[in-house]
Amino acid sequence: MFSNPRHAVIAGAGIGGLTAALALHRRGWRVTVCERAPGPPALGAGIVLAPNALRAFDAIGFDVTRAAGHAVPAAMGVRRTGGDWLNRADTAAMAARYGRPPLAVHRTALAAALTAALPDGTVRYGVAVTAVERVDSPQGGGPVVRTPAGDLTADVVIAADGIHSALRRQYFPHHPGLRHSGETAWRTVLSCEGLPGLVAAETWGRGERFGVVPLADGRVYVYATARAPQGYAPADLRAELRRRYGAWHDPIPALLDRIDPAAVLRHDLYDLAVPLPRHHSGRLAWVGDAAHAMTPNLGQGGCQAIEDGVVLARLLDADGDVPAALAAYTRARHARTDAIRIRSRRAGRVAALTHPLAVAVRDLAVRATPAWAAQRAMDGLFGFSPA
């Protein structure tokens, strides 16, 4: 059907890059994914796929529950440190409103499933994209992608090179870059054997949070955040986590006892200080954190990357005008992703309050919000359709 498919080169094999690769492949493109890491990550964390991300996957025929193998409903409630609920997520109500509830899956399993759905050899590990040139060449010809393994030519290049995107810095050298949120996060996946009845929830303290997300394979994804300076890395992580969260409600103390510090991912939390002027330049487009890095407070970072990849592939019709399609991509995605970036920043400020009076007012407001109002507030996130 596609005798001479056009070539897309994607910088980065994260969730956004792999989604874009699969979406383009299923529209007849030849795809090469260049990933600087030597192989798939050895450590991983969970990801909660909201209904908007699941709907985007549906649009390209990717069944998460079948492909990734382990996905369970993960509507998140909010608790206080003593264990009482500020609100409880209604999985059935979310399914009725949005077609399905959020699903929790191991991030590495999702990446492996996306990779397996691509032709063998599509993803090239240990190959970093160092530069992209001639994206606007009036002489014709596609962009030239520089890598240590040799140059690649392409009809379109997709920068999915993450929050510290080198291609973003190359093409937007005057952009102020990232803004530190004032928080650090720790993430890991643990066995939940002997801990029955775990439910998905995030617990809010004073400037600290702890999340519990059961997975379907007998494990649980846990994460913690705390207000801390950039680069904060205590020498004894286990003691630090126990000091901060050890007196919180069950099952948090038991989960802390199971943590292997060597298997914990630590990241300072950032978002873009200001939005990029656009999400494209000629035949080069940015997706995911490279385009619109946001804090994880709404759980939408990966979900927006998935949306990006699906929308971009839909606009990049196999026989269409690439620069025009990428301009349309900016129009389709720029306002939505920036609004979510700002909303996530504001949500983080509320969740990370430290003053006792402010925390008390916050908790009262969350508890007093009717369930229907809380669900309606999420319509702008979860109601997205790639069409």
Side-chain angles (χ1 to χ4, degrees), residues 352-371:
L353 289 170
T354 58
H355 191 282
L357 179 58
V359 168
V361 171
R362 175 199 69 190
D363 292 356
L364 179 63
V366 173
R367 192 192 299 273
T369 301

Side-chain angles (χ1 to χ4, degrees), residues 262-326:
V264 174
L265 300 172
R266 189 207 70 84
H267 293 99
D268 294 325
L269 300 184
Y270 298 94
D271 63 3
L272 281 191
V274 298
L276 292 181
R278 59 194 180 280
H279 290 173
H280 77 286
S281 178
R283 290 174 175 264
L284 170 62
W286 285 261
V287 300
D289 283 344
H292 44 68
M294 59 185 68
T295 54
N297 302 300
L298 298 178
Q300 280 290 309
C303 296
Q304 290 306 302
I306 292 165
E307 285 188 18
D308 287 345
V310 172
V311 170
L312 180 57
R314 179 174 62 84
L315 293 170
L316 278 169
D317 183 84
D319 296 315
D321 182 314
V322 170
L326 298 193

Side-chain angles (χ1 to χ4, degrees), residues 5-244:
R6 290 195 287 181
H7 185 207
V9 174
I10 300 175
I15 299 302
L18 291 172
T19 300
L22 181 58
L24 285 167
H25 165 66
R26 292 187 171 176
R27 286 182 173 269
W29 285 72
R30 180 168 65 92
V31 182
T32 301
V33 180
C34 298
E35 168 55 49
R36 70 171 59 247
L43 299 179
I47 182 172
V48 176
L49 298 172
N52 53 305
L54 296 171
R55 201 172 295 114
F57 275 145
D58 287 344
I60 60 171
F62 181 74
D63 185 339
V64 172
T65 56
R66 182 175 60 186
H70 300 288
V72 293
M76 299 282 287
V78 179
R79 308 178 76 171
R80 299 177 66 184
T81 58
D84 51 320
W85 291 89
L86 296 176
N87 68 41
R88 300 195 72 161
D90 188 332
T91 300
M94 292 191 72
R97 191 175 188 92
Y98 304 115
R100 67 186 69 188
L103 294 179
V105 62
H106 198 290
R107 188 178 286 263
T108 55
L110 176 59
L114 288 166
T115 302
L118 292 165
D120 290 344
T122 296
V123 181
R124 301 182 182 180
Y125 288 105
V127 178
V129 171
T130 57
V132 178
E133 299 176 2
R134 296 213 311 261
V135 299
D136 299 297
S137 173
Q139 288 77 34
V144 176
V145 181
R146 307 292 188 190
T147 82
D151 294 346
L152 299 170
T153 57
D155 296 285
V156 68
V157 179
I158 299 172
D161 53 342
I163 192 168
H164 299 288
S165 171
L167 293 176
R168 185 179 65 222
R169 293 194 301 271
Q170 179 186 349
Y171 279 86
F172 300 102
H174 302 297
H175 187 274
L178 300 174
R179 178 202 69 100
H180 183 231
S181 69
E183 293 184 277
T184 287
W186 299 275
R187 299 177 294 157
T188 192
V189 175
L190 306 170
S191 167
C192 58
E193 184 179 356
L195 296 173
L198 294 181
V199 295
E202 186 171 279
T203 301
W204 290 2
R206 292 171 51 187
E208 298 168 335
R209 287 172 283 170
F210 196 98
V212 176
V213 184
L215 303 174
D217 59 353
R219 295 186 294 173
V220 57
Y221 166 46
V222 300
Y223 61 88
T225 71
R227 295 193 63 83
Q230 293 183 69
Y232 182 74
D236 189 337
L237 177 59
R238 190 189 301 274
E240 175 76 358
L241 296 177
R242 284 175 173 162
R243 178 183 69 81
R244 290 182 178 274

Side-chain angles (χ1 to χ4, degrees), residues 319-378:
D319 296 315
D321 182 314
V322 170
L326 298 193
Y329 166 71
T330 284
R331 292 193 297 272
R333 300 298 298 158
H334 193 277
R336 171 170 171 79
T337 56
D338 194 55
I340 295 172
R341 177 187 66 86
I342 293 171
R343 183 172 173 181
S344 184
R345 177 184 293 186
R346 291 172 176 167
R349 288 172 176 166
V350 172
L353 289 170
T354 58
H355 191 282
L357 179 58
V359 168
V361 171
R362 175 199 69 190
D363 292 356
L364 179 63
V366 173
R367 192 192 299 273
T369 301
W372 63 265
Q375 284 191 1
R376 181 177 295 177
M378 304 307 287

